[in-house]
Amino acid sequence: MLTKRIIPCLDIKDGRTVKGVNFVNIRDAGDPVELGSLYARQGADELVFLDISATNEERKTFASLVKDIARHINIPFTVGGGISSVADVAPLLEAGADKVSINSAAVRNPQLIDDLSRAFGAQCIVLAIDARKIDNQWTVHTHGGKIATDKKLLSWAKEGQERGAGEILFTSMDHDGTKEGFAIDPLSKLNAMLDIPVIASGGAGLKEHFIDAFVLGKADAALAASIFHFGQVKIPELKTYLKERNIAMRA
Amino acid sequence: MKLVIIKYNAGNIQSVSFALERLGVDFAITDSPEEIAKADKVIFPGVGEASTTMAYLRNKGLDRVITSLKQPVLGICLGMQLMCTFSEENSTDCLGIFQETVKRFLPQGDMKVPHMGWNNLTLSNGWLDNAIESQYAYFVHSYYVPVNPHTSAITEYIKPFSAAMHKDNFYAVQFHPEKSAQAGELVLKSFLAL
């Protein structure tokens, strides 16, 4: 049976993990390879490495980092941040990344999804969508959530699927950082509408929240960052907990 | 033992190389027909689209090289699909080692396409380690090979399909051993031990 996926997300700046905190079993939580390896050993199903570097200069270190990650980590991983062309993606996949996520550049130029999907296959194109509820409408935002667009979550996700995205990563900005649970209502609507997998993101605080994302939200995967980084929820315990509640999990 | 990975426009060559490195195995990556023919074992990786990949292989003459090999050959993901006779992915004639047609998954209810993530296997014949039945392997694919007499492991998604196959010197897996943690290492070790 296909299992639901638990995905820790690591933010990278200038080759280092941001928000890296106290880990007992790790020498350097700021080292993306070490932190990623730890999560892989703990049973993470995939990893996401998001380059939040502001400048192109900082970004140059990312491709070599991706290669280092691929060398040491034996589970699939997605990389994203600042990708805006076929030329940006090729070196990342060649370095050993399994998927790339695109966000602002796809909103600006939706044809990018078609181009990437044709060049590399739908399975490695993740369309990341950041949205927040404005006047009762889930409105797509870009540039790390700073800029509101005229796109709406559901129609943009559908368009992304039609243009060849292989997966949708939906982050509710209203829930991100609150630790009060995922945005279940839009999640369940997305999953009812789409034929491609959906990753839930934003709001994870407790183990129970993952049950809601999978059972009520029908998400295929759930992504979280700080609760894993700060150890509030530990991956082995989370997976045991979900398995005991009949959610299909890789042990 | 001389192990080679066939070099072509497959997306996972780097990842397969790293997986072999982690096992401490020596290998070469090559598209030289002579070097491939001389190897003791050959890995035929694959991530991409069927028709452009087959066109690339034909253009390089690698199609005839692969079908003429007598040593153990391991096809991975698209590599396994291309070992079949025909793929529904852009109606592509493939290598014809396994007399099967590669079909497209149709989404059904909550089950989406691609089949993406970790799934388990039931072994049906011999070359894979039994320990793999208690583990999960990582799949990413929209097309599948139906269960057939050469199926060595079955996975269920929408319908039962071939997760692994074996015929003569040709071995193949639909999932990605290079990304399947311990389960993947077991598969690579089984192939290397043949």
Side-chain angles (χ1 to χ4, degrees):
Chain A
M1 190 180 190
L2 182 67
T3 65
K4 302 287 189 181
R5 289 169 280 150
I6 301 294
I7 308 178
C9 177
L10 288 73
D11 286 350
I12 311 289
K13 193 166 188 295
D14 211 4
R16 305 276 297 167
T17 46
V18 182
K19 294 188 223 163
V21 278
N22 300 324
F23 274 96
V24 188
N25 304 319
I26 199 165
R27 279 170 297 158
D28 180 6
D31 177 358
V33 176
E34 255 206 87
L35 188 51
S37 301
L38 174 70
Y39 286 139
R41 285 198 302 278
Q42 287 185 337
D45 296 302
E46 284 183 37
L47 298 168
V48 171
F49 295 88
L50 209 53
D51 187 14
I52 57 166
S53 297
T55 66
N56 288 332
E57 197 50 45
E58 289 176 335
R59 213 164 264 145
K60 277 184 193 141
T61 59
F62 197 52
S64 65
L65 173 63
V66 169
K67 197 163 181 175
D68 220 22
I69 293 166
R71 192 187 303 275
H72 291 99
I73 292 176
N74 60 4
I75 60 170
F77 66 94
T78 301
V79 297
I83 292 168
S84 59
S85 69
V86 168
D88 288 341
V89 170
L92 298 172
L93 296 179
E94 280 162 20
D98 299 277
K99 311 179 209 177
V100 294
S101 77
I102 50 172
N103 191 330
S104 303
V107 172
R108 192 164 60 239
N109 169 27
Q111 178 66 28
L112 178 65
I113 305 170
D114 304 66
D115 294 347
L116 293 177
S117 185
R118 198 157 305 139
F120 307 107
Q123 82 288 340
C124 62
I125 309 305
V126 181
L127 177 61
I129 306 178
D130 297 337
R132 135 176 310 157
K133 212 172 183 180
I134 297 175
D135 296 336
N136 226 21
Q137 299 245 46
W138 282 91
T139 305
V140 176
H141 286 59
T142 60
H143 299 84
K146 288 196 272 290
I147 298 173
T149 71
D150 55 6
K151 291 195 189 302
K152 303 291 172 244
L153 170 67
L154 294 180
S155 56
W156 176 228
K158 181 91 178 159
E159 182 180 342
Q161 170 178 300
E162 280 159 8
R163 287 181 178 274
E167 200 167 23
I168 301 287
L169 166 56
F170 161 53
T171 302
S172 164
M173 295 161 54
D174 291 336
H175 295 70
D176 203 20
T178 65
K179 296 195 167 46
E180 289 178 354
F182 295 95
I184 299 303
D185 178 59
L187 203 51
S188 66
K189 288 196 172 86
L190 276 174
N191 279 300
M193 181 187 75
L194 297 174
D195 295 327
I196 57 176
V198 175
I199 305 168
S201 160
L206 303 169
K207 292 189 287 231
E208 291 79 359
H209 295 155
F210 289 83
I211 300 239
D212 293 343
F214 294 137
V215 175
L216 303 176
K218 307 254 184 205
D220 299 280
L223 177 145
S226 56
I227 55 158
F228 296 140
H229 301 334
F230 290 89
Q232 287 145 321
V233 172
K234 295 190 176 65
I235 293 171
E237 289 161 23
L238 172 64
K239 294 187 89 170
T240 304
Y241 170 87
L242 292 171
K243 212 172 170 182
E244 284 167 2
R245 280 149 190 85
N246 295 320
I247 310 283
M249 278 284 131
R250 181 172 72 108
Chain B
M1 185 195 69
K2 190 166 163 31
L3 173 68
V4 304
I5 302 174
I6 299 179
K7 181 181 171 185
Y8 73 110
N9 63 338
N12 61 339
I13 288 182
Q14 183 74 81
S15 304
V16 173
S17 314
F18 284 149
L20 293 171
E21 274 180 34
R22 287 194 293 268
L23 292 176
V25 182
D26 283 331
F27 59 92
I29 303 170
T30 180
D31 59 0
S32 148
E34 296 77 31
E35 218 183 319
I36 294 168
K38 276 194 303 198
D40 299 307
K41 288 201 175 111
V42 176
I43 293 182
F44 178 36
V47 166
E49 186 274 328
S51 68
T52 48
T53 307
M54 272 310 299
Y56 184 99
L57 291 172
R58 286 203 183 90
N59 187 36
K60 294 266 181 185
L62 289 169
D63 55 331
R64 278 163 302 164
V65 173
I66 294 166
T67 50
S68 67
L69 293 173
K70 298 287 179 256
Q71 62 274 58
V73 180
L74 176 65
I76 296 174
C77 195
L78 180 66
M80 163 165 146
Q81 297 185 358
L82 296 182
M83 284 174 160
C84 295
T85 305
F86 179 80
S87 173
E88 287 184 0
E89 188 172 20
N90 293 315
S91 300
T92 304
D93 287 322
C94 303
L95 299 169
I97 293 162
F98 297 99
Q99 303 294 309
E100 299 296 328
T101 293
V102 183
K103 300 193 156 158
R104 186 170 168 83
F105 276 126
L106 298 174
Q108 191 179 298
D110 289 345
M111 289 186 278
K112 298 165 177 175
V113 177
H115 172 225
M116 184 185 284
W118 298 82
N119 208 329
N120 51 354
L121 292 79
T122 306
L123 301 187
S124 51
N125 77 32
W127 66 283
L128 291 165
D129 193 320
N130 287 331
I132 205 172
E133 284 202 328
S134 61
Q135 302 196 13
Y136 287 81
Y138 189 80
F139 292 83
V140 184
H141 59 126
S142 302
Y143 294 80
Y144 69 95
V145 182
V147 173
N148 65 74
H150 299 294
T151 299
S152 355
I154 295 172
T155 290
E156 296 223 15
Y157 188 71
I158 299 178
K159 56 184 66 178
F161 67 88
S162 295
M165 298 199 292
H166 169 219
K167 180 189 178 188
D168 306 326
N169 58 315
F170 291 97
Y171 301 80
V173 289
Q174 177 60 66
F175 51 90
H176 288 278
E178 73 277 18
K179 290 287 176 176
S180 291
Q182 294 87 346
E185 286 164 16
L186 279 177
V187 172
L188 293 173
K189 281 181 183 163
S190 294
F191 176 70
L192 295 170
L194 286 169

